[in-house]
């Protein structure tokens, strides 16, 4: 596709928010090297000026835009080649922004982690393809490390002539003496998401996407807390974030493309069964996660319960989420490490034969990690900006490595150098061990 001529290469929408201003600061640092034209966008000019002052004594263009004003939003979308949406919760205005970008022929990325929002904008995919636009939600910590981590271990199996069929991910959010504080918008999104779980179930049913085949034995999902003694040696709890949803959708989109184009299944990376857990460093931290999860589960169905949760995030999350955000010291001391325990077979297999799911024991195991700095305000900007750069490179070179449509990260960037660029930016993808299982 011919490169679109726009006033800006990148527009950051929501540059005044907690995460948006960190994305803006990192983009400013990158543009000193890459020479990109970009602007900070939001509803308040004065708050945008505060963001720019926070970044430093710099000159950055400002675009004032109201995401609920059609004309204002359309003009903003038309000004850039790529729009990075950092305004959450995305359930309230995200669909408006996606629609405006498709109408303007503008590529779109965001830092959402809301399964219901993802399901809703997947319905825009045909329009995005027709417009020659790429729309990719979940380009922050939710869910680039998980989606690309699953892709990474599948690729490592494939390099050996093997097939990965099961992956368990264990997320550990490490912090120093100052503790850790999450993004309030993430907490708010979780509250509203759990309150509308019935709508998500209906959307998934109506979507009627290609079901993923199960290759080999079925991977069990442990629904309660347990001590994981093989890979992390930590207590773990089922992770109710978006990662498992995003990984599943990525693989469904690839499988749909394979079937529509009648491609040989042995020539592609096969889908894995994928489960996600969050690890706790102690039994006390585990109790905290359990209290947080129980509070969300029992209070979100009720209006008064949601009001209570949103009013007192520090109490119900035991300090994990606050309206103030983290301190600079907390950011410096924090990090994440996600462990991927992948199992499969020592051969390239198809989806419909070669393996008896009941009688074929798994033959090989690879344990890998994806690790990086603080997840919400340091890793997230790295992820979304590297995703944006991959699109710009692809559009400038006209290679067609990034397809059009509404996609998830692995489905959008599987043919690009995204993993190696993330590594160069401080997020490691590392094989820790591998062994025969039989």
């Amino acid at each position: 596709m011919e490169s679109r001529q726009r006033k800006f290469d990148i527009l950051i929408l929501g540059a005044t928010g907690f995460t948006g201003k960190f994305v803006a600061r990192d983009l400013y640092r990158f543009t000193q090297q890459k020479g990109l034209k970009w602007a900070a966008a939001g509803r308040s000019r004065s708050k945008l000026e505060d963001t720019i002052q926070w970044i430093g004594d710099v000159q950055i263009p400002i675009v004032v835009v109201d995401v609920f004003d059609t004309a204002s939003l359309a003009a903003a979308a038309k000004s850039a080649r790529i729009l990075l949406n950092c305004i959450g919760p995305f359930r309230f205005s995200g669909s408006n922004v996606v629609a405006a970008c498709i109408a303007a022929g503008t590529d779109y990325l965001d830092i959402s982690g809301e399964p219901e929002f993802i399901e809703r904008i997947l319905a825009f995919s045909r329009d995005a393809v027709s417009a020659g636009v790429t729309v990719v939600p979940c380009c922050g910590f939710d869910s680039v490390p998980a989606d690309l981590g699953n892709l990474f271990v599948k690729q490592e199996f494939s390099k050996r002539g093997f097939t990965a069929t099961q992956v368990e991910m264990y997320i550990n959010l490490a912090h120093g003496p100052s503790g850790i504080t999450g993004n309030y918008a993430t907490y708010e999104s979780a509250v509203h998401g759990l309150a509308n779980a019935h709508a998500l179930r209906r959307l998934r049913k109506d979507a009627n996407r290609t079901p993923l085949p199960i290759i080999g034995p079925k991977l069990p999902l442990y629904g309660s807390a347990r001590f994981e003694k093989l890979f992390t040696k930590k207590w773990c709890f089922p992770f109710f974030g978006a990662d498992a949803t995003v990984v599943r959708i990525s693989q469904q989109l690839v499988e749909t493309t394979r079937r529509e184009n009648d491609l040989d299944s042995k020539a592609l990376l096969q889908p894995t069964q994928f489960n996600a857990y969050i690890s706790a460093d102690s039994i006390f931290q585990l109790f905290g996660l359990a209290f947080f999860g129980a509070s969300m589960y029992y209070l979100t169905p009720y209006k008064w319960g949601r009001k209570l949760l949103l009013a007192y995030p520090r109490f119900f999350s035991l300090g994990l989420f606050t309206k103030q955000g983290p301190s600079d010291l907390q950011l410096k001391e924090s990090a994440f490490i996600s462990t991927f325990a992948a199992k499969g077979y020592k051969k390239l297999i198809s989806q419909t034969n070669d393996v008896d799911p009941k009688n074929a024991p798994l033959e090989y195991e690879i344990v890998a990690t994806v690790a990086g700095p603080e997840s919400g305000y340091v890793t997230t900007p790295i992820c979304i900006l590297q995703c944006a750069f991959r699109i710009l490179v692809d559009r400038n070179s006209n290679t067609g490595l990034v397809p059009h449509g509404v996609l998830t990260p692995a489905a959008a960037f599987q043919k690009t150098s995204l993993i190696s660029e993330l590594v160069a930016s401080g997020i490691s993808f590392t094989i820790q061990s591998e062994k025969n299982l039989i």
Side-chain angles (χ1 to χ4, degrees):
M1 172 182 288
E2 187 175 321
S3 179
R4 298 183 179 98
Q5 298 300 313
R6 300 291 174 93
K7 185 176 181 180
F8 306 113
D9 295 301
I10 297 175
L11 184 71
I12 300 178
L13 184 61
T16 60
F18 279 123
T19 307
K21 69 178 185 179
F22 282 91
V23 175
R25 185 183 68 178
D26 281 14
L27 181 55
Y28 173 75
R29 292 171 176 173
F30 276 118
T31 52
Q32 303 310 296
Q33 307 168 15
K34 296 179 179 290
L36 297 174
K37 297 178 295 182
W38 70 280
R43 186 170 54 184
S44 169
R45 176 174 292 275
S46 63
K47 290 184 178 180
L48 288 168
E49 290 171 347
D50 289 343
T51 293
I52 294 171
Q53 185 177 13
W54 176 79
I55 292 173
D57 185 17
V58 299
Q59 297 295 318
I60 298 172
I62 285 176
V63 175
V64 177
V65 55
D66 183 347
V67 295
F68 296 104
D69 181 84
T70 302
S72 171
L73 183 56
K78 290 176 182 177
S79 70
R81 298 171 63 191
I82 302 178
L83 185 146
L84 309 185
N85 188 5
C86 299
I87 300 178
F90 291 81
R91 65 183 300 109
F92 299 127
S93 63
S95 295
N96 295 350
V97 182
V98 172
C101 285
I102 293 174
T106 299
D107 294 312
Y108 168 99
L109 305 175
D110 70 37
I111 56 171
S112 67
E114 303 170 31
E116 184 183 347
F117 170 69
I118 301 166
E119 293 287 352
R120 291 191 185 283
I121 65 171
L122 281 168
F124 298 168
S125 193
R126 289 186 183 274
D127 292 337
V129 171
S130 298
V133 166
T134 299
V135 173
V136 191
C138 302
C139 288
F141 181 70
D142 286 329
S143 292
V144 168
D147 210 11
L148 274 294
N150 185 62
L151 177 64
F152 174 68
V153 292
K154 286 165 55 171
Q155 290 174 336
E156 291 298 320
F157 265 79
S158 181
K159 288 177 183 177
R160 295 157 176 75
F162 302 166
T163 303
T165 64
Q166 295 185 358
V167 177
E168 290 180 308
M169 179 185 72
Y170 300 90
I171 303 170
N172 183 238
L173 301 176
H175 60 83
S178 301
I180 187 172
T181 302
N183 188 342
Y184 176 75
T186 301
Y187 175 86
E188 187 180 7
S189 297
V191 170
H192 291 294
L194 288 172
N196 291 274
H198 60 286
L200 176 59
R201 289 191 292 269
R202 184 170 61 250
L203 286 168
R204 285 174 173 168
K205 181 178 180 180
D206 294 343
N208 194 31
R209 282 189 298 274
T210 303
L212 290 175
I214 294 177
I215 304 172
K218 184 174 177 59
L219 177 66
L221 173 63
Y222 298 97
S224 58
R226 65 187 174 101
F227 186 77
E228 201 293 300
K229 59 184 179 180
L230 296 178
F231 309 113
T232 64
K233 296 179 174 58
K234 295 179 183 292
W235 289 94
C236 66
F237 198 81
F239 182 57
F240 55 80
D243 287 348
T245 293
V246 171
V247 170
R248 182 181 66 252
I249 292 175
S250 283
Q251 297 187 130
Q252 288 174 325
L253 293 174
V254 171
E255 174 64 8
T256 298
T257 299
R258 182 193 73 79
R259 294 190 183 189
E260 289 178 348
N261 294 277
D262 195 27
L263 299 176
D264 180 6
S265 64
K266 283 191 177 182
L268 298 175
L269 297 173
Q270 301 301 324
T272 59
Q273 302 173 67
F274 183 91
N275 290 333
Y277 302 91
I278 187 164
S279 298
D281 291 326
S282 67
I283 190 68
F284 301 104
Q285 192 178 59
L286 181 69
F287 286 147
L289 288 172
F291 172 75
F292 179 34
S295 299
M296 297 285 277
Y297 180 81
Y298 288 109
L299 293 178
T300 53
Y302 308 102
K303 185 176 180 179
W304 63 266
R306 296 191 294 274
K307 186 176 180 179
L308 199 61
L309 287 166
L310 294 173
Y312 302 101
R314 182 187 293 273
F315 172 79
F316 288 106
S317 68
L318 298 183
L320 180 59
F321 293 99
T322 71
K323 295 184 178 181
Q324 289 73 40
S327 67
D328 290 341
L329 182 58
Q330 285 178 321
L331 292 178
K332 184 178 181 180
E333 292 176 345
S334 300
F336 83 91
I337 180 168
S338 294
T339 300
F340 294 78
K343 299 177 182 179
Y345 296 96
K346 295 173 65 174
K347 59 184 174 180
L348 293 175
I349 61 177
S350 70
Q351 298 172 356
T352 55
N353 52 41
D354 297 337
V355 174
D356 183 333
K358 293 182 179 180
N359 300 320
L362 297 166
E363 300 170 343
Y364 204 73
E365 174 188 277
I366 291 178
V367 178
T369 57
V370 178
E374 189 278 333
S375 60
Y377 302 93
V378 184
T379 288
T380 286
I382 291 172
C383 290
I384 192 169
L385 291 176
Q386 288 302 330
C387 289
F389 297 155
R390 302 286 67 75
I391 292 179
L392 286 175
V393 168
D394 187 64
R395 300 295 186 255
N396 290 340
S397 60
N398 200 27
T399 56
L401 296 179
V402 180
H404 300 135
V406 180
L407 305 162
T408 39
F413 301 111
Q414 60 178 326
K415 296 180 181 179
T416 74
S417 61
L418 179 56
I419 289 179
S420 62
E421 298 296 341
L422 290 171
V423 170
S425 299
I427 299 176
S428 65
F429 288 70
T430 309
I431 299 296
Q432 298 295 333
S433 65
E434 53 185 299
K435 66 180 182 180
N436 291 312
L437 295 177
I438 58 174

